[in-house]
């Protein structure tokens, strides 16, 4: 980062051919609960959270923070992406803009994550030309590793954290000519 303050995704919504990336709304609460309580979705992020706890503690409008977006397909949330300053969970990403994604298992295998992440990265590159973005994932998360490669992230380092080998990739948009 260049010291200009936190870099987050500007101007939403972002529309693609099939999706809308938008701020979370109250209507997304049940989908957030489903996402965070899903054993499949939670497999590489520390496990599913208990549904009863989520029902009790989830705010009316979940996840409303700069750079945290719902991925909407035909009016329904199918996942979320974050493109914001790293939350501090890994020192390797600290102080950098980090891309994260989590999708409902029913949305897997349709290219939605690639479409949403590519659109967010494109918008970010337009707002912050030449600024890199990092992505961290477990090396045994084959789908996430494949998505990182498809998006153009290149390996910066591997390290141990949370009891597993982690991969940190960097994406650098081409600076505009001129």
């Amino acid at each position: 980062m260049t010291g200009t303050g936190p870099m987050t995704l500007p101007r939403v919504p972002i529309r693609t051919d099939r999706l809308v990336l938008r701020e979370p709304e109250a209507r997304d609460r049940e989908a957030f609960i489903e996402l965070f309580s899903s054993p499949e979705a939670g497999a590489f992020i520390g496990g599913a959270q208990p549904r009863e706890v989520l029902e009790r503690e989830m705010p009316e409008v979940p996840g409303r923070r700069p750079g945290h977006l719902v991925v909407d397909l035909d009016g329904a949330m199918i996942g979320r992406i974050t493109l914001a300053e790293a939350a501090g969970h890994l020192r390797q990403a600290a102080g950098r803009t980090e891309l994260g994604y989590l999708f409902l298992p029913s949305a897997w295998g349709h290219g939605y994550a690639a479409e949403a992440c590519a659109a967010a990265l494109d918008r970010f590159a337009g707002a912050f030309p030449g600024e890199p973005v990092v992505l961290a994932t477990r090396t045994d998360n084959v789908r996430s590793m494949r998505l990182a490669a498809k998006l153009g992230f290149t390996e910066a380092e591997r390290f141990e954290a949370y009891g597993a080998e982690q991969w940190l990739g960097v994406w650098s948009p081409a600076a505009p000519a001129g």
Side-chain angles (χ1 to χ4, degrees), residues 85-175:
E85 187 172 350
H89 60 284
L90 295 170
R91 74 168 172 75
Q92 291 82 355
R96 299 161 127 182
T97 301
E98 181 178 25
L99 174 67
Y101 38 82
L102 191 62
F103 283 76
L104 290 165
S106 60
W108 295 358
H110 300 283
Y112 299 134
E115 185 174 330
C117 291
L121 288 168
D122 185 57
R123 178 69 57 91
F124 183 85
F128 304 104
E131 286 294 328
V133 175
V134 298
L135 181 153
T137 190
R138 286 175 41 163
T139 57
D140 61 347
N141 187 342
V142 174
R143 286 178 179 267
S144 188
M145 292 288 294
R146 197 173 351 177
L147 177 56
K150 184 175 187 173
L151 293 169
F153 283 82
T154 57
E155 184 172 328
E157 68 178 292
R158 290 181 187 225
F159 55 95
E160 288 289 320
Y162 306 112
E165 183 181 51
Q166 307 290 324
W167 181 90
L168 183 76
V170 177
W171 177 86
S172 295

Side-chain angles (χ1 to χ4, degrees), residues 46-80:
Q49 297 176 38
R51 186 175 187 85
E52 58 277 1
V53 172
L54 291 167
E55 292 278 359
R56 186 175 59 249
E57 296 179 1
M58 181 77 58
E60 182 180 336
V61 180
R64 194 147 209 175
R65 295 185 301 276
H68 293 244
L69 302 176
V70 162
V71 179
D72 181 309
L73 174 68
D74 298 329
M77 177 184 151
I78 61 167
R80 65 174 268 184

